[in-house]
Each structure stands twice: as structure tokens, then as C-alpha cells.
Amino acid sequence: LGNLTMALAAGSLGYSWQASTTRYGDTDKTSCGGLDTATLVAGTGYYSVASSQAMQSKMLWGGSCCYCGSSTEEAAALGVAPMGCFSCARGRFLNAGPYGRDAGGFASEEIKIVVSDVCPGDPTGTWCQPAPGDTNSVGMKNHFDFSVPPSGINNNFFVFKPEACSPELEARMSRAQGACR
């Protein structure tokens, strides 16, 4: 699917944004304040993700990458979703992805995600975009690297809409948020 097709699909399905996805496994110390991804989401129904560096284009203390990133209005104007550290969204995987597969429809029920890490920009542009407006090798401006995606999901495209995190998740993230101030 091209970016225009994906954008139209996302909008017509009630979602604001689209992204490519990969997986990286759980980690016990993330760039978003040192969170443990498995502990963060245990029993909450959320999936932990690292958003691309482009989606976290403003780093704590002015660094270029990769600690306690947040999004900017400038990035959103370039087509990059506002998904910095501690952001949440709801969305669905599509029956489409890189490598030419496009069966149409959804590959999952709606899920909730929380950004707990950053996927550093890859200079080759394979997956994680280094700067707002950059596209990766599959033509996307947004990318999520899932700690552990739902069963049966393998690099499917994802449509999503940012939303507030649950109070339980906010409480779990509060110490890490303090480390990012």
C-alpha cells in the first residue's frame, strides 16, 4: 500500500495515523525514564512500543537522541504522529504490510499501546526514521517497534489514534516521568 492509500484507509477506518511495525522483545531499562517494558504493561491490556526517533523529535536536555523524547508541532505538520515517551493510542493491525502482502481488512482486534522506549533513527532508513518528515524503506513516516506484538502479527501495518493513557498506566509511569524532568 502506498502512503496515500494508507492515509485514506486510516481516515476512513476512524484512525488518524498509520505506521509500519517490527518487534524487538522486552527490555528492563528503556530510554523513557528507565521503564521495564514487561512490568509496565503486565495485566493492563496495553502493548509496549518504541516509537521512531522522528516521532520523539525533541529530546530531554536538547540531545539529538535518545532519552525522554517528546513530540513537536513541527513534526506533526510534517505528517509525523505525536507519540513521544509516555504517550498512548488505540489502533488495529491491517492485513497488509511490507513484502507485498495486502489481504485487506484487519488482522487484529483493537489494541492499546504505550510508548515506553525510542527506536533510534536508522541512517539507512530501513525502519526507524531519524527525523520528522523522513520515510522508511516501506514509505512510512511513523514506525512502532513492539516489545511483544499480538500473536500472529509480523510487521503488519498499524492504524491508530492517540488517546490518554489509563490512570493505572499513568501511575506506573510516574517515577519514570520524574526521571525525565
Side-chain angles (χ1 to χ4, degrees):
L1 291 174
N3 264 351
L4 179 59
T5 304
M6 283 292 295
L8 293 173
S12 68
L13 299 172
Y15 298 102
S16 314
W17 302 94
Q18 66 277 343
S20 54
T21 68
T22 49
R23 67 178 72 213
Y24 75 102
D26 282 315
T27 183
D28 63 354
K29 196 155 184 87
T30 70
S31 66
C32 293
L35 294 164
D36 178 307
T37 57
T39 301
L40 173 64
V41 298
T44 66
Y46 281 81
Y47 288 85
S48 174
V49 300
S51 61
S52 71
Q53 184 178 339
M55 297 167 81
Q56 299 189 32
S57 55
K58 182 180 176 188
M59 297 294 164
L60 184 65
W61 304 302
S64 61
C65 188
C66 285
Y67 191 71
C68 297
S70 60
S71 60
T72 65
E73 289 181 21
E74 294 84 3
L78 293 171
V80 178
M83 295 294 294
C85 287
F86 316 115
S87 299
C88 290
R90 66 176 53 239
R92 293 179 82 173
F93 288 97
L94 300 177
N95 274 324
Y99 322 120
R101 72 171 187 253
D102 183 5
F106 293 113
S108 73
E109 296 298 318
E110 190 168 74
I111 65 167
K112 293 181 178 187
I113 63 171
V114 57
V115 177
S116 62
D117 210 349
V118 65
C119 184
D122 175 1
T124 66
T126 304
W127 290 114
C128 295
Q129 308 85 343
D134 290 350
T135 57
N136 63 14
S137 64
V138 296
M140 294 286 174
K141 292 184 178 184
N142 299 298
H143 182 81
F144 290 122
D145 203 1
F146 277 72
S147 293
V148 180
S151 179
I153 298 300
N154 186 19
N155 295 15
N156 295 59
F157 293 136
F158 187 70
V159 291
F160 63 99
K161 181 177 184 172
E163 69 175 15
C165 298
S166 72
E168 178 182 7
L169 207 55
E170 288 286 351
R172 290 184 183 191
M173 294 186 295
S174 64
R175 177 181 286 150
Q177 288 171 324
C180 287
R181 292 193 176 103

